[in-house]
Amino acid sequence: MRTVRRWAAETAGGLPAGFWYLWTGTLINRIGSFVLILLSVYLTHERHFTPTFAGLVIGLWGAGGALGTLLGGVLADRWGRKPTYLTFLYTSAALMLALGFAQSAPIVAGTVFVLGMAAEGSRPAMSALMIDIVGPHERLRAFSLNYWVINLGFAFSAIAAGALASVDYLLIFIGDAATTAAAATVVAIKVRDTHRSTRAPRPAAPTPAAGSLFSVFTDRVFLGFFACNLLLALVFMQHISTLPLAMAADGLSTGTYGLVIALNGILIVAGQLFVPKLLRHLPRAHALALGAVLVGVGFALTAFAGTAWFYAISVVIWTLGEMADAPSKSALLADLSPSWMRGRYQGASSLAWSMASFGAPIIGAAVQQHLGNATLWLGCLVVSLIVAAGHLLMAPAREHRVVELRAAEAVAPAI
């Protein structure tokens, strides 16, 4: 019992109350994230739109999200973390309801595009707010806990969404809107904004950041991080695009794919809380490199898979890589971001996942069709090894940047 208490204290103890209110808001929001899970099914089966139109609408969500993350990042820095977060979240709730009652194809498409902007636009502000609240040495734990609760909420919402839709599809829109508004209300009441005016004195930071979003993309240290993030995301997103096609080609049903891919969420929920302790004494670059290698090896094994259990082993391996990569990467991005530009850096970083969501299915399907499964999956290993090498090679410049930023901001903190 004493061991359990010690583990709980090491995992979750000592974090600020503001973090836990953000954590609670994330849990509430993710538990009710019904709409995106069933949107394509709703459009084709309930509304009888064509699969092509449904695919276009899902793409519009991603396109809106790419724009929203950049806009949300800028507003988080200029206007404030909390007002940006609340505005986007309450707007998302209203648009969820509107989408549930939308009838014509143009209105559905336009609503989804704006909804994607609002839903994804809240994320940079939320991340920047959490970074402001949690000290540098506790961020790995904080991001691990946040990553864990996102997956826990998603696992619940995936089950609940099907149950609600079986009664009435309108309930998934009402439920999503209600939980989104509830999450915003928790933050509105319990979390104070951490952002001061951009007119506040700024330290002489060692980045080229002059305050604009464009300046983020002239930061060479960040661009190296962004490139690694994008390449690994292109590999990781194959699990929802080409992996089901590979399993189908081996005669496995969609139900089997669902069971195999469910291992990803189960492992994260069961094991993510142990990750901070395992990674605590591992240099950050080594943790990121290890994560990339495991992701690559896991997907490479798919080239040799032909049975459900073999596919399951590959999922377990790349999930372990994801668990090492995600919190370490989030903590690194937090440390590489000047405090007065955290929103912009979070938004710019999220763009990598938006790009991967669009590009991974196209690239993966083309390789799979023209060069074969083995080339696709072994290619994933090659890309992942390049990412691992990139993390190791860029580590000195990154850590030098972190030290300089902390020293500069200790003299003249911006927030």
Side-chain angles (χ1 to χ4, degrees), residues 157-200:
S157 66
I159 298 170
L164 290 173
S166 66
V167 178
D168 189 335
Y169 269 99
L170 183 59
L171 292 177
I172 68 172
F173 296 95
I174 295 174
D176 205 327
T179 52
T180 301
T185 302
V186 168
V187 175
I189 295 173
K190 290 294 187 177
V191 180
R192 66 177 182 85
D193 195 13
T194 57
H195 180 76
R196 295 179 187 170
S197 167
T198 56
R199 292 188 297 271

Side-chain angles (χ1 to χ4, degrees), residues 214-236:
F214 173 77
S215 64
V216 176
F217 291 102
T218 63
D219 180 350
R220 293 183 179 180
V221 174
F222 171 76
L223 287 179
F225 170 87
F226 182 89
C228 289
N229 192 12
L230 174 59
L231 288 175
L232 198 64
L234 287 170
V235 172
F236 183 75

Side-chain angles (χ1 to χ4, degrees), residues 53-304:
F53 177 75
L56 171 64
V57 169
I58 300 298
L60 286 173
W61 179 295
L67 181 60
T69 55
L70 295 177
L71 177 61
V74 172
L75 289 176
D77 290 333
R78 290 189 175 275
W79 186 25
R81 325 297 201 203
K82 184 174 175 179
T84 300
Y85 181 68
L86 296 179
T87 298
F88 276 114
L89 229 57
Y90 281 126
T91 301
S92 296
L95 289 169
M96 289 288 182
L97 283 178
L99 182 59
F101 292 100
Q103 295 297 316
S104 69
I107 293 177
V108 168
T111 303
V112 167
F113 176 78
V114 181
L115 178 56
M117 284 183 59
E120 301 302 323
S122 66
R123 304 196 195 287
M126 186 273 182
S127 297
L129 189 58
M130 186 167 69
I131 294 167
D132 292 345
I133 290 172
V134 179
H137 299 295
E138 304 297 340
R139 286 173 185 160
L140 179 61
R141 286 200 300 142
F143 279 112
S144 292
L145 288 165
N146 191 63
Y147 185 64
W148 178 80
V149 80
I150 286 172
N151 283 275
L152 178 65
F154 178 79
F156 178 87
S157 66
I159 298 170
L164 290 173
S166 66
V167 178
D168 189 335
Y169 269 99
L170 183 59
L171 292 177
I172 68 172
F173 296 95
I174 295 174
D176 205 327
T179 52
T180 301
T185 302
V186 168
V187 175
I189 295 173
K190 290 294 187 177
V191 180
R192 66 177 182 85
D193 195 13
T194 57
H195 180 76
R196 295 179 187 170
S197 167
T198 56
R199 292 188 297 271
R202 299 173 181 172
T207 73
S212 69
L213 181 63
F214 173 77
S215 64
V216 176
F217 291 102
T218 63
D219 180 350
R220 293 183 179 180
V221 174
F222 171 76
L223 287 179
F225 170 87
F226 182 89
C228 289
N229 192 12
L230 174 59
L231 288 175
L232 198 64
L234 287 170
V235 172
F236 183 75
M237 292 302 290
Q238 299 304 318
H239 81 285
I240 58 173
S241 55
T242 52
L243 179 59
L245 298 179
M247 293 183 67
D250 284 327
L252 300 173
S253 68
T254 54
T256 301
Y257 166 75
L259 290 174
V260 168
I261 208 65
L263 287 171
N264 175 253
I266 293 170
L267 280 172
I268 291 172
V269 171
Q272 188 65 42
L273 294 181
F274 297 93
V275 169
K277 188 173 182 178
L278 295 175
L279 298 181
R280 181 179 302 166
H281 302 297
L282 190 66
R284 185 155 46 194
H286 292 178
L288 290 168
L290 174 63
V293 169
L294 288 173
V295 168
V297 170
F299 279 101
L301 286 177
T302 309
F304 310 100

